[in-house]
Amino acid sequence: MERVDQRPTAEPELPPSRGDLSAALIAYLRGTGPLPDDATLADASTLGEDLQLALYLCYELHYRGFAGVDSSREWDPELLRVRAAMEKPFLAALRAGATRHDHADDALDELLVEPVDGQGVSHFLQDKGELWQLREYAAQRSVYHLKEADPHAWVLPRLWGRAKAGMAAVEFDEFGAGRADRVHAKLFADLMADLDLDPTYGRYLDASGAEALAVVNLMSLFGLHRALRGALVGHFAAVETTSSPGSRRLARAMARTGAGPAAEHFYREHVEADAVHEQVVRREVVAGLLEEEPHLDRDIAFGVDATEWLEDRLADRLLAAWRSGESSLRTAV
């Protein structure tokens, strides 16, 4: 199988719109139309395809941008105003729908208890997933994994002491510990190539549903706002806490279906690495942050809860489609 090289510096193309809001935003980024008006913003469903794509497009300007879009749009005051108008209902929906814990320790302790009869995506793929379902899963998760550690890096200047040192240590591993070939985003690109998917950054944005985009938008929302630094640490802690057992199941799924050595390696790498990361994040990052800023306890718990809530929504979409024998994607891969 011929591998397609990932182009780290390539700017992705703007995707097709998914409604009036994203259509107006794309036109503005292209310089062919005005920004969406207040009525268009108000009409868009908060967790729906149109608003989540529009919010993703705004956030992506802080990552790699888009081909043909002027880099100055990143700090365009009017565009930032529109982004804020989308962030407000998104954050409100998260607080209303996801909040379950007042304390970080309670939220994280609950994640450590796995049900005996697990029904999640990794359980499904491990036990009976087919290769086409693994490909769909990888395509949708690529909008997350090809920028996996990037938004977490924004929290580093907002931490100090034990929290900063612990966060930097984990991020160092995520970015390959000094080796470009071991950067986790590169390992995921290799996984995609094994699955005969195109690992080009942003390639499967149009195929990914609102639920997958919301998972990524959550990281960007938390990462770009200093006021949400506690929530970003909570998100990071939730990811690292749940990664190791889920990765073990996904590695088995890759091996069972013959997906390929790189596909299997990505998840096997996370089994061991994230088991260590979980301890560092819990004992140094979370505990260190609470030692310095105890008032962020509830924010950390909210970050954990919001992460799980959105991951559950994505899992529901995937499993509902697969159990019906249907594709979970918006467009075919």
Side-chain angles (χ1 to χ4, degrees), residues 130-272:
E130 299 179 20
L131 194 58
W132 68 271
Q133 292 162 332
L134 289 170
R135 296 182 75 244
E136 287 197 358
Y137 181 71
Q140 294 214 60
R141 295 300 285 185
S142 68
V143 296
Y144 171 95
H145 280 301
L146 293 180
K147 63 157 59 78
E148 180 176 358
D150 294 345
H152 299 135
W154 280 324
V155 83
L156 284 168
R158 298 159 182 173
L159 304 175
W160 61 94
R162 288 168 55 203
K164 182 191 283 283
M167 190 75 188
V170 176
E171 284 283 88
F172 182 63
D173 282 351
E174 297 285 342
F175 290 123
R179 291 180 53 181
D181 61 322
R182 298 191 65 180
V183 173
H184 284 192
K186 173 63 168 63
L187 297 181
F188 193 81
D190 293 342
L191 170 149
M192 294 178 73
D194 259 5
L195 291 171
D196 200 24
L197 295 169
D198 183 350
T200 302
Y201 184 90
R203 170 65 178 79
Y204 297 109
L205 173 58
D206 191 39
S208 301
E211 294 83 359
L213 299 188
V215 168
V216 183
N217 287 339
L218 180 76
M219 296 193 298
S220 300
L221 171 67
F222 290 169
L224 285 166
H225 293 273
R226 180 183 175 275
L228 295 171
R229 63 194 180 281
L232 183 61
V233 166
H235 166 78
F236 193 61
V239 169
E240 297 300 328
T241 298
T242 57
S243 176
S244 186
S247 293
R248 182 178 290 106
R249 289 187 286 269
L250 290 168
R252 290 170 181 159
M254 296 294 177
R256 180 177 58 79
T257 57
E264 191 176 343
H265 174 69
F266 175 82
Y267 288 111
R268 293 211 180 280
E269 171 76 11
H270 281 69
V271 172
E272 295 185 9

Side-chain angles (χ1 to χ4, degrees), residues 104-105 108 155-156 158-168 229-230 233-234 237 277-297 300:
D105 282 343
L108 291 169
V155 83
L156 284 168
R158 298 159 182 173
L159 304 175
W160 61 94
R162 288 168 55 203
K164 182 191 283 283
M167 190 75 188
R229 63 194 180 281
V233 166
H277 292 172
E278 174 201 337
Q279 298 301 314
V280 176
V281 172
R282 187 77 183 265
R283 295 174 183 175
E284 300 300 324
V285 183
V286 173
L289 181 57
L290 289 175
E291 186 177 79
E292 298 287 353
E293 300 188 271
H295 62 282
L296 294 180
D297 192 13
I300 298 172

